Amino acid sequence: QVLECQGLPIVNGQCDPYATVTLAGPSRSEAKKTKVKKKTNNPHFDEVFYFEVGWDYLFLIFIYYESFKIICFYYRVDLWNASNLKFGDEFLGELRLPLKFLRQSSSYEAWYFLQPRDNGNKSLKPDDLGSLRLNVVYTEDHVFSSDYYSPLRDLLLKSADVEPVSASAAHILGEVCREKQEAAIPLVRLFLHYGRIVPFISAIANAEVKRTQDPNTIFRGNSLTSKCIDETMKLAGMHYLQVTLKPIIDEICQVHKPCEIDPVKLKDGENLENNRENLRQYVDRIFTVITKSGVSCPTVMCDIFFSLRESAAKRFQGDLDVRYTAVSSFIFLRFFAPAILSPNLFQLTPHHPDPQTSRTLTLISKTIQTLGSLSKSKSANFKESYMATFYDYFNEQKYADAVKNFLDLISSSGRRDHKSIEQPILLKEGFMIKRAQGRKRFGMKNFKKRWFRLTNHEFTYQKSKGDHPLCSIPIENILAVERLEEESFKMKNMFQVIQPERRVLYIQANNCVEAKDWIDILTKVSQCNKKRLTVYHPSAYLNGHWLCCKATADNTPGCTPCTGGLPANIQLDIDGDRETERIYSLFNLYMPKLEKMQEACGSKSVYDGPEEEEYSTFIIDDPKETYKTLKLIIEGVGTLEQEHAQYKRDKFKKTKYGSQEHPIGDKSFQTYIRQQSEISAHSI
C-alpha cells in the first residue's frame, strides 16, 4: 500500500507525481503503477497492489536465505514526475526493502527518505568523468519559541547602548569568531529585523574611527564594522543595484563590444583607439547612472553613511576629504565596483560572464573604483601604464564634483537634525510654475513662474536665480510629496508639497521626467520626517469641496494612501529567533575563547604592564564591563544548551524510527543488495 509522499522536488515549475512498485528477485521483476497526482508535491496515493508469490518462489526464498544468507528478493518503489517532454518522465527517487522484513510481521508501515537511483549496472567508469574536490558545510539548528531567547536577544540588542561598545555582546561575538563574517551575518540580520542596525553600526564605527591614526586607512581593514556594513548593503541594496546597474550590465553581456586596451592583449583586427572609445562610453554611462542614483539609495544605507561621515569628520577635522572617503570606501569600493566585477554574485546576471565580457567588466570596475576614491593622484593608482593613459579621459573636475554631490546626497538625506551641517548641500534647482498658497479663488493669474531651489536644509523659490527667497519650506515641514490629478487645474505634470496645517504648494514641472525627478528627490530628503502623512488628497480643494472624495471641509484627512515613494526600505524576510539561535550556536562553538577572554579581563584588571601575547588579539577597553557581559553571555548560552539537550532527550524518547519526523534513509541496504546479488549470480 503506497500511502503518501511529502516534499517531492518541483521539476521545471511542475510536479505531477506517480509511483511504480516492483517486486524483484531472481528471474522475476513485476511492476505496477499508481495514478498520476496533478500539481502537487505532497501527493496522497493510498493505493494497494497485490503480488502473487507461488510455492516455487517461496522455496527459492527459503533456499537462498538459509543456504547463502543473502537477500535477493525485495520490493522497490520509484517516484516519477509525469512529463509532456519528449525525453520522458523525470525520476524523483526510490527506496528498496527486503522481503525478510515481513518474516517477523505481516504488516510493516514507516516513512522513508527517497534515495538516488541505484546505478550498479551502469557500464560507465568513474574514471571517465574526471574528479571534483568539494568542501561542504552543513548546519542544522533547532529553533525554540521566542521566549527561550529573550535573555540573549535582549543582551545583544542593547549592544549599541553599552559604553564602551567593545564591552557589548555583539562586539564580543566578533572578537571570538574565527572570521568576522561569521559574526556579521546573523548580527546584521537580527539588528535589521528589530530596527537597531543603524545605532549598532554607528557605535562600532565610531569606536573604530577613534582607534584609527591615519585618515588614509579609515575602514580599510576587515573589521567587524566593515563586514557588518558589507552585509547590510548586500541585504538592503540588492534592489538598488537592480535598478541602477542591471540594464547596462545586461547590454554589455549581450553586445560584446571589444574593449581591450592593453596593447599586448589586442586580438587580430582590433583597433586600440576604437576599443578605448567603447570602454570610455561604458564607463561614462555607468558613472552617470551611479552618480544620479542618490535618490534611490535605501534609507538604512543613507543613515549608516551619515554616521560614518560625521564620525570621520569629527575625528580628522583637518582633512576636508575624509567625510567623502569614509563613505566612498563602502559605496564604491565595496558595493558598486564588486557588483560590476562579478555581477553573478549580486544577482545581476544568472551566470559568470564569458572571458571577453569579464575582462570588459574588470576594466570598468577598476576605473569606477578609482573615480569614486577621490584620491589626489589618480594615475598613480594604476600599476598598468595603459590604465593610467586611459584614465586621462576622466581627469576632469566635473567627475570629482559629481562624486562629491552623490556622496553628499546619500550621506545627508538620513539626517534627523539638518542644521548640523555647516554648509547646505544643493540637491536640485530650476524653473517651475507654482500656484499661490492660501488663495480661495482659483485662476490662471494665480500661477507664476519661479526659480526653485532644494538643499538638504530647505525648499525655496524666488523670482529669478540668485534673488532673495520669496518662500522657504524647512525640510522637516514637508509631510508628503505626491502627484496631483490633471482634472484639478486642467494642467499636466503637476505635483503637490503638503505642509503642516494642511497648507499645500501646487507645482507644475516642465515635463513628466522633471516632475518625477522633483518628486523623487523631495521624497528622499523628507522621508525620515516623523510627522509624514499616511493619506492625502490626489485632487485639489475647489468650489467648497475636494474633487477626489467630495468632502466639504478643507481640513478633511486625505482619502488616498500616500505612495511609498522610492523603494528605499526593502522589507526583508528575517526570522529573529532563527538568527538568535545561530548566534547562540556561535557562542557555544567558541566557548573556549569566551573563557579565555574572561581570563584576559582578569589579567588586565590586576596587571597594568605589557599585555600577554595570548590575550593581545582581544579588544578590551573596559575589563570590568567586558567581564560582566561575558558572564551574562556564558550564563545565557548555558541555559539554552540545557534546553537543547532536554529537547533531544525528549525527541529520542517520543520519535519512532520510520515515522514522518524520523524517516528511514539508510542507503547501505541498497549497496548490500547489489553486492549480494553479484555474489549470488557468481555462485549460481
Side-chain angles (χ1 to χ4, degrees):
Q1 183 181 15
V2 181
L3 294 171
E4 61 177 315
C5 299
Q6 290 285 331
L8 297 179
I10 296 174
V11 182
N12 295 325
Q14 65 142 33
C15 188
D16 298 332
Y18 68 89
T20 60
V21 184
T22 304
L23 177 64
S27 70
R28 171 173 180 161
S29 181
E30 182 182 356
K32 300 185 179 184
K33 175 183 170 182
T34 68
K35 295 178 181 178
V36 176
K37 298 295 181 180
K38 294 285 188 180
K39 298 181 180 179
T40 177
N41 65 338
N42 300 312
H44 288 260
F45 295 110
D46 199 14
E47 295 188 39
V48 180
F49 302 96
Y50 294 92
F51 295 89
E52 291 290 340
V53 183
W55 280 106
D56 53 342
Y57 270 87
L58 291 176
F59 178 73
L60 278 172
I61 291 172
F62 175 77
I63 293 296
Y64 273 85
Y65 183 75
E66 295 298 332
S67 301
F68 299 103
K69 300 297 182 184
I70 62 176
I71 304 170
C72 285
F73 297 90
Y74 60 91
Y75 63 88
R76 185 180 77 241
V77 181
D78 297 308
L79 266 294
W80 299 83
N81 177 44
S83 173
N84 295 323
L85 300 176
K86 62 180 180 180
F87 305 109
D89 297 345
E90 293 97 351
F91 176 77
L92 301 179
E94 70 170 26
L95 66 91
R96 299 187 181 200
L97 287 174
L99 289 183
K100 75 167 190 173
F101 281 3
L102 300 180
R103 291 170 62 88
Q104 301 168 355
S105 173
S106 60
S107 178
Y108 187 85
E109 179 179 325
W111 280 88
Y112 292 86
F113 281 119
L114 290 174
Q115 302 292 344
R117 178 179 283 156
D118 183 8
N119 291 325
N121 296 326
K122 266 199 168 183
S123 60
L124 184 65
K125 295 180 180 179
D127 295 343
D128 297 338
L129 299 175
S131 61
L132 174 67
R133 184 181 181 187
L134 295 174
N135 178 26
V136 181
V137 177
Y138 172 75
T139 303
E140 180 177 316
D141 293 325
H142 172 75
V143 182
F144 292 114
S145 57
S146 189
D147 54 304
Y148 282 80
Y149 299 106
S150 292
L152 182 59
R153 182 178 60 243
D154 294 345
L155 189 64
L156 289 161
L157 291 177
K158 72 176 185 180
S159 293
D161 304 321
V162 175
E163 285 289 345
V165 72
S166 60
S168 67
H171 194 278
I172 288 171
L173 180 64
E175 289 296 292
V176 300
C177 283
R178 187 169 60 90
E179 300 288 343
K180 302 294 185 187
Q181 187 74 7
E182 279 184 292
I185 292 173
L187 283 175
V188 166
R189 295 177 70 86
L190 179 72
F191 284 110
L192 272 173
H193 180 67
Y194 287 100
R196 297 284 296 163
I197 190 65
V198 175
F200 170 64
I201 289 182
S202 298
I204 60 175
N206 192 48
E208 182 174 332
V209 169
K210 287 180 179 178
R211 291 192 294 269
T212 304
Q213 301 303 316
D214 184 355
N216 294 317
T217 62
I218 193 167
F219 300 127
R220 292 302 172 95
N222 288 322
S223 62
L224 182 64
T225 302
S226 61
K227 291 298 182 184
C228 283
I229 296 175
D230 286 352
E231 191 62 27
T232 303
M233 292 192 298
K234 284 181 183 177
L235 287 171
M238 252 344 145
H239 180 81
Y240 181 32
L241 285 177
Q242 293 284 326
V243 299
T244 306
L245 293 182
K246 184 170 173 54
I248 192 167
I249 294 290
D250 286 344
E251 180 185 328
I252 293 170
C253 293
Q254 292 166 10
V255 176
H256 294 289
K257 283 185 180 180
C259 296
E260 182 56 68
I261 59 173
D262 183 355
V264 178
K265 295 182 180 180
L266 279 182
K267 296 179 181 178
D268 292 340
E270 288 187 351
N271 181 280
L272 183 59
E273 288 305 316
N274 289 343
N275 288 9
R276 281 178 179 163
E277 180 59 22
N278 290 339
L279 185 62
R280 187 196 65 77
Q281 289 180 9
Y282 278 144
V283 171
D284 230 351
R285 287 173 59 191
I286 288 182
F287 178 81
T288 301
V289 164
I290 290 174
T291 53
K292 289 188 178 298
S293 69
V295 295
S296 300
C297 187
T299 305
V300 66
M301 289 171 59
C302 293
D303 290 345
I304 290 171
F305 295 151
F306 165 62
S307 176
L308 301 182
R309 176 190 179 114
E310 293 290 298
S311 295
K314 186 177 180 181
R315 173 74 174 84
F316 301 104
Q317 296 182 17
D319 191 325
L320 299 180
D321 286 334
V322 73
R323 65 187 65 197
Y324 295 114
T325 55
V327 179
S328 68
S329 63
F330 286 103
I331 193 68
F332 280 102
L333 274 66
R334 293 174 178 263
F335 188 63
F336 283 122
I340 296 167
L341 184 65
S342 303
N344 55 307
L345 299 182
F346 291 80
Q347 301 174 22
L348 296 175
T349 59
H351 308 292
H352 188 72
D354 61 79
Q356 179 182 327
T357 304
S358 184
R359 173 64 175 164
T360 299
L361 294 174
T362 300
L363 295 172
I364 294 172
S365 180
K366 280 185 176 183
T367 313
I368 291 295
Q369 181 174 319
T370 307
L371 280 167
S373 66
L374 289 172
S375 58
K376 304 290 189 300
S377 177
K378 304 288 185 166
S379 59
N381 290 339
F382 298 109
K383 294 181 292 184
E384 309 92 342
S385 59
Y386 62 84
M387 283 299 299
T389 302
F390 173 70
Y391 194 82
D392 287 339
Y393 286 120
F394 306 97
N395 220 352
E396 298 180 30
Q397 188 59 36
K398 67 176 183 179
Y399 290 100
D401 291 342
V403 170
K404 287 186 177 182
N405 289 338
F406 169 69
L407 296 175
D408 280 336
L409 177 57
I410 65 172
S411 61
S412 65
S413 55
R415 180 170 288 100
R416 299 300 185 272
D417 180 12
H418 298 278
K419 302 301 181 183
S420 64
I421 297 295
E422 295 179 4
Q423 294 295 326
I425 301 167
L426 178 63
L427 302 176
K428 190 172 177 63
E429 61 181 348
F431 275 114
M432 291 190 289
I433 296 173
K434 65 93 186 178
R435 187 187 70 82
Q437 302 180 72
R439 303 282 184 93
K440 293 295 182 179
R441 300 176 61 84
F442 298 87
M444 285 303 296
K445 63 181 181 180
N446 294 320
F447 289 87
K448 296 181 180 180
K449 189 175 182 179
R450 293 289 183 256
W451 180 264
F452 284 82
R453 192 169 187 270
L454 174 66
T455 70
N456 60 315
H457 289 182
E458 58 188 359
F459 182 45
T460 64
Y461 63 80
Q462 51 254 37
K463 283 188 176 182
S464 300
K465 185 177 181 179
D467 289 351
H468 185 75
L470 298 174
C471 175
S472 173
I473 304 173
I475 295 299
E476 52 266 32
N477 284 354
I478 298 178
L479 306 185
V481 184
E482 299 287 347
R483 292 187 180 277
L484 186 70
E485 291 182 355
E486 186 179 337
E487 66 168 337
S488 298
F489 302 109
K490 310 301 181 187
M491 297 168 67
K492 295 181 178 180
N493 309 318
M494 291 201 68
F495 63 94
Q496 52 185 316
V497 179
I498 306 173
Q499 306 161 62
E501 300 178 0
R502 302 292 171 184
R503 285 173 57 85
V504 183
L505 175 62
Y506 296 114
I507 302 171
Q508 183 189 34
N510 297 324
N511 52 60
C512 60
V513 175
E514 275 290 300
K516 183 181 184 305
D517 287 347
W518 277 104
I519 292 171
D520 284 349
I521 197 167
L522 282 164
T523 300
K524 180 68 177 175
V525 297
S526 64
Q527 61 188 349
C528 293
N529 292 346
K530 295 180 180 179
K531 296 182 179 180
R532 277 187 65 86
L533 298 178
T534 56
V535 291
Y536 79 107
H537 290 286
S539 295
Y541 184 80
L542 288 173
N543 301 322
H545 68 276
W546 292 99
L547 296 180
C548 43
C549 59
K550 309 305 179 186
T552 55
D554 60 357
N555 61 353
T556 302
C559 58
T560 302
C562 287
T563 57
L566 305 162
N569 277 323
I570 309 301
Q571 294 299 314
L572 302 170
D573 184 16
I574 296 175
D575 184 342
D577 297 331
R578 168 70 178 81
E579 302 309 324
T580 311
E581 169 63 29
R582 184 91 289 275
I583 292 170
Y584 149 75
S585 299
L586 289 172
F587 275 135
N588 200 28
L589 176 65
Y590 292 106
M591 184 59 70
K593 279 197 171 183
L594 288 172
E595 294 168 348
K596 184 69 70 177
M597 200 170 181
Q598 273 191 317
E599 294 176 12
C601 290
S603 175
K604 275 179 167 282
S605 297
V606 299
Y607 178 62
D608 200 26
E611 200 168 23
E612 293 186 39
E613 186 177 350
E614 62 177 330
Y615 301 145
S616 61
T617 57
F618 300 124
I619 295 177
I620 302 174
D621 296 320
D622 188 328
K624 185 177 179 181
E625 284 299 317
T626 305
Y627 187 89
K628 283 167 59 178
T629 305
L630 283 164
K631 185 178 179 182
L632 291 173
I633 291 171
I634 292 172
E635 288 175 358
V637 170
T639 302
L640 281 170
E641 190 176 11
Q642 292 175 7
E643 295 291 349
H644 277 289
Q646 184 62 46
Y647 166 77
K648 289 177 181 177
R649 287 193 294 268
D650 293 344
K651 183 178 180 181
F652 181 78
K653 290 178 183 177
K654 296 176 183 178
T655 305
K656 178 184 175 183
Y657 188 53
S659 65
Q660 187 174 2
E661 292 77 18
H662 196 180
I664 300 169
D666 189 4
K667 181 71 174 173
S668 61
F669 170 67
Q670 297 184 31
T671 306
Y672 182 66
I673 289 176
R674 187 174 68 250
Q675 292 171 346
Q676 294 301 326
S677 297
E678 292 170 357
I679 294 172
S680 171
H682 185 268
S683 300
I684 293 173

